[in-house]
Amino acid sequence: MQLHLREYGSGPPMTILHGFLGAGGNWHTLSRSVFGEHFRVLVPDLRNHGQSPHDSRMDYEAMAEDILAMWDEHGVEQGLLMGHSMGGKLAMQVALTAPERVSKLVVVDIAPRTYPPGHLVILEALRRADPASRGGRDEVDAVLAETIPDLGVRQFLLKNLRRTEAGFDWLPNLDVLESSYDQLIGGLHVFATYEGPTLVVRGERSDYVQDDDMDVLRAYCPQAELVTIADAGHWVHAEQPEAFSDAVMGFVLE
């Protein structure tokens, strides 16, 4: 599968993997203004997300194969790898599958365990919004607001809205994301370790990475160290971009 890819900057390769219902464009500002100053940054849309192809298979093994194939195509023998949320689980999957190809690993606000199904309300809201029957972004937003009061979350979701010849539609493959959802929120099942340098970044107000999760993380990544970003939730890189980028750059450049 050939993933839609954005590239920034030059230097040693760095790959960034977005989260569930996200896209590579979520990382545009930091990739261009911070990471791209030091690295050749590759930011793909994962399968069934953004402008990448849709496929009936949606699991971490398949997505890891996509990333390794992308690296082969673009001449990346080894590089830095960072992922947020679902992308963080995928980054761990890649590092555990092909540890020799990951020089350093950054996992953003996720652990390799099973999570409760917190996105079901969002998926239902996206279905109910039915953008093909609406007159535009404002009408879609009004429907989403009925069940998603947080403006920031709605703005994030509305980045997935695309204009078609018939009107509007969602970019993500909602059918496959719904049918594969249990796999995506499930824990990793890889009997391997990644021995390279690993940074885990969590938001102070997020409950995605608990102190106890570090035992599981270190079972997979023995060198994992934890940094907590003050006054940040799950979207730590968007809520506190300066503190987040300082933490990451301090790790990847050391």
Side-chain angles (χ1 to χ4, degrees):
M1 177 172 294
Q2 190 168 32
L3 302 178
H4 180 267
L5 179 67
R6 296 168 177 82
E7 287 197 54
Y8 306 83
S10 61
M14 177 182 194
T15 301
I16 303 177
L17 308 177
H18 65 78
F20 187 70
L21 293 174
N26 300 150
W27 288 87
H28 171 73
T29 300
L30 286 178
S31 296
R32 180 189 60 184
S33 62
V34 179
F35 304 129
E37 292 293 315
H38 301 271
F39 301 100
R40 174 194 176 198
V41 185
L42 288 77
V43 193
D45 292 347
L46 303 178
R47 62 168 56 199
N48 294 311
H49 287 78
Q51 298 180 60
S52 282
H54 291 183
D55 190 87
S56 60
R57 185 178 175 190
M58 188 70 189
D59 55 60
Y60 290 106
E61 292 83 0
M63 289 190 285
E65 292 170 3
D66 293 342
I67 301 305
L68 294 172
M70 181 191 74
W71 284 348
D72 290 342
E73 180 182 355
H74 292 274
V76 177
E77 294 184 6
Q78 186 188 63
L80 302 164
L81 179 60
M82 176 165 66
H84 170 249
S85 198
M86 180 188 76
K89 274 191 183 179
L90 173 56
M92 286 185 274
Q93 178 78 37
V94 174
L96 294 168
T97 302
E100 73 284 355
R101 302 195 67 172
V102 179
S103 56
K104 289 185 177 182
L105 175 66
V106 180
V107 178
V108 184
D109 214 55
I110 198 73
R113 61 172 167 88
T114 299
Y115 284 82
H119 297 90
L120 295 180
V121 171
I122 291 176
L123 289 168
E124 181 182 348
L126 293 175
R127 288 286 195 190
R128 190 169 58 255
D130 187 18
S133 67
R134 310 295 173 184
R137 179 187 173 95
D138 289 345
E139 286 190 23
V140 174
D141 183 46
V143 178
L144 293 178
E146 294 173 4
T147 50
I148 305 175
D150 190 309
L151 176 60
V153 174
R154 298 202 311 275
Q155 289 176 332
F156 168 78
L157 294 171
L158 287 167
K159 291 180 180 179
N160 287 301
L161 194 64
R162 66 173 174 180
R163 185 184 292 273
T164 69
E165 292 183 0
F168 293 89
D169 197 4
W170 295 118
L171 281 166
N173 186 343
L174 297 182
D175 289 339
V176 169
L177 294 183
E178 287 179 340
S179 64
S180 306
Y181 187 61
D182 286 347
Q183 297 181 68
L184 298 176
I185 63 173
L188 296 183
H189 302 286
V190 186
F191 298 99
T193 57
Y194 171 70
E195 303 289 340
T198 303
L199 177 67
V200 180
V201 184
R202 69 178 177 184
E204 181 184 35
R205 292 186 281 99
S206 173
D207 60 359
Y208 273 70
V209 178
Q210 303 288 336
D211 290 343
D212 292 346
D213 289 328
M214 291 305 298
D215 292 335
V216 180
L217 273 156
R218 292 191 177 109
Y220 283 114
C221 305
Q223 292 197 55
E225 55 186 84
L226 176 66
V227 169
T228 302
I229 303 299
D231 195 27
H234 183 54
W235 284 279
V236 54
H237 55 292
E239 297 174 37
Q240 297 293 340
E242 185 174 350
F244 172 78
S245 57
D246 285 349
V248 172
M249 292 302 291
F251 171 73
V252 298
L253 292 178
E254 68 181 8

